[in-house]
Amino acid sequence: MCDGSSDRPFFPHRHLLGIEGLSPDEITVLLDRSENYVEQNRRIDKKKSLLRGRTIINLFFEHSTRTRTSFELAGKRLGGDVINMSLSTSSIKKGETLIDTAMTLNAMHPDVLVVRHQSSGAVKLLSEKVNCAVINAGDGSHEHPTQALLDALTIRRRRGTLQGLQVAICGDITHSRVARSNIHLLLAMGARVRLIAPATLIPPGIEHLGAEVFHEMAAGLKNCDIVMMLRLQQERMHGGFFPSIREYFTHFGLDYPKLANAKSDALIMHPGPMNRGVEIDAEVADDFGRSVIREQVEMGVAVRMACLEILTENLDRPELRTN
Ligand code: NCD
């Protein structure tokens, strides 16, 4: 899709709330723009002035290492002013609601709000109340669009394309916003998706999205090109979803014997934070011939720079769709 005034492809949305509903062309615009930043981030001089005068507020109601830091670096490398607000230091602790906090911040004229919240749908609700662009940095178990984009960029750089690849997403699918965003993105881009987990960690009906469901690692990993492991989101679990950590690892933890079912050059991915010995064996995680976990983190900064750049450009287009 191109902008009326130039041939430069553009992204016709005011916010980035999720991957669901984005077209392959729109996803490609975001990935192509991210690609431009990978080399820049490897140089000594990483700074640009594209976001000079722009204000980005990181508003995180849940803990984060990678996502919050990389949004901060992304904003700073583009020359913007970045402010970090976290649950522990804000008036949320004094009982202020999400919307009151958002309205307060909105009154200070930020250009982009990057929001992480424990409730699915909270970031969309907030986006309806503010004048700036909003990026969803993870809402409950719903979506985490920039994680899926950085995963896609990592795969595309290694394999050249997403089309036709067989990707296995393994672990706690039920509580994972990373899984949901990845399913939408990978299927939209022509990859095939398998979900591997115990029945208690697969949400009913998820196969209607177009993914295949497996309850056994050996069968699910057979001939896969990509093995994406997920953390057990114990903070979102109420009740017993599996008998014990040891049993979970025996059946669903990625170790070399299970990995042997995938293609011999299959890439190993994990969005982090990793729980070694729970969903992934430490040796497999550190197998840098095949594990691209560090590269995922690197790509995260490039993807977030592209998203910030594109959404701030779009602030000058009042006609844009707000979904
Ligand atoms: C993920 C998240 O917060 O959804 N982490 C991340 O952003 N890299 C996955 C997780 O917490 O397990």
Side-chain angles (χ1 to χ4, degrees):
M1 184 173 301
C2 285
D3 164 350
S5 56
S6 75
D7 289 337
R8 197 173 192 196
F10 96 112
F11 179 76
H13 300 269
R14 169 167 290 269
H15 307 298
L16 179 63
L17 300 175
I19 300 291
E20 185 176 10
L22 297 186
S23 68
D25 281 353
E26 290 168 4
I27 293 167
T28 304
V29 169
L30 296 171
L31 295 178
D32 289 350
R33 198 76 81 90
S34 306
E35 189 74 56
N36 294 337
Y37 287 114
V38 177
E39 281 315 310
Q40 185 189 317
N41 284 335
R42 290 177 180 171
R43 287 192 212 126
I44 292 179
D45 180 8
K46 301 174 180 59
K47 194 114 172 166
K48 284 202 163 200
S49 56
L50 277 171
L51 294 193
R52 205 160 155 258
R54 300 291 200 177
T55 307
I56 298 136
I57 302 183
N58 281 330
L59 180 57
F60 278 61
F61 296 90
E62 272 191 349
H63 296 297
S64 173
T65 305
R66 283 149 279 265
T67 308
R68 199 197 55 72
T69 314
S70 60
F71 267 112
E72 181 175 356
L73 274 179
K76 289 182 170 167
R77 285 188 185 166
L78 291 174
D81 296 315
V82 184
I83 289 171
N84 292 312
M85 299 208 36
S86 65
L87 177 66
S88 52
T89 52
S90 72
S91 285
I92 312 277
K93 276 269 181 220
K94 299 181 183 171
E96 189 174 68
T97 65
L98 166 70
I99 299 304
D100 282 338
T101 305
M103 298 305 283
T104 302
L105 296 175
N106 191 49
M108 299 180 200
H109 301 294
D111 296 286
V112 186
L113 275 178
V114 179
V115 187
R116 169 170 284 191
H117 196 276
Q118 61 278 11
S119 303
S120 302
V123 182
K124 177 163 181 11
L125 184 72
L126 183 148
S127 74
E128 289 159 6
K129 312 281 179 196
V130 297
N131 312 108
C132 57
V134 175
I135 300 180
N136 181 3
D139 63 326
S141 48
H142 177 228
E143 282 237 32
H144 190 354
T146 55
Q147 179 69 43
L149 288 164
L150 74 88
D151 291 339
L153 185 64
T154 308
I155 299 171
R156 204 178 74 162
R157 286 172 59 84
R158 286 286 186 138
R159 292 287 181 264
T161 180
L162 295 162
Q163 178 78 41
L165 294 179
Q166 182 75 69
V167 182
I169 307 179
C170 319
D172 184 358
I173 312 290
T174 295
H175 302 99
S176 175
R177 50 201 178 203
V178 174
R180 237 160 242 92
S181 290
N182 262 304
I183 295 168
H184 290 303
L185 189 149
L186 291 163
L187 292 174
M189 299 306 282
R192 288 169 295 152
V193 178
R194 294 180 183 173
L195 306 174
I196 314 175
T200 47
L201 292 176
I202 296 260
I206 192 112
E207 62 279 4
H208 298 310
L209 294 178
E212 265 185 284
V213 172
F214 291 80
H215 299 303
E216 211 234 306
M217 289 286 268
L221 290 180
K222 201 137 222 77
N223 291 324
C224 279
D225 298 284
I226 312 286
V227 183
M228 205 180 268
M229 300 309 298
L230 298 173
R231 182 177 67 89
L232 286 172
Q233 310 247 326
Q234 300 200 55
E235 71 277 22
R236 293 186 220 287
M237 291 181 191
H238 307 287
F241 284 79
F242 49 88
S244 69
I245 295 289
R246 184 200 286 246
E247 193 153 336
Y248 183 82
F249 182 78
T250 305
H251 294 287
F252 294 97
L254 188 67
D255 52 14
Y256 280 115
K258 295 189 195 82
L259 183 61
N261 293 287
K263 285 193 181 156
S264 58
D265 62 348
L267 300 178
I268 300 157
M269 304 180 75
H270 194 306
M274 243 183 322
N275 287 152
R276 292 164 184 262
V278 180
E279 72 273 5
I280 190 163
D281 175 67
E283 247 187 280
V284 173
D286 295 335
D287 181 345
F288 294 117
R290 306 182 61 182
S291 162
V292 291
I293 297 171
R294 286 200 214 158
E295 216 166 294
Q296 288 173 267
V297 178
E298 182 187 6
M299 294 307 127
V301 182
V303 158
R304 286 160 183 140
M305 288 170 86
C307 293
L308 290 174
E309 184 197 0
I310 287 177
L311 293 184
T312 47
E313 279 170 11
N314 285 356
L315 289 172
D316 301 327
R317 305 172 196 268
E319 74 288 0
L320 284 185
R321 302 206 294 270
T322 51
N323 59 337

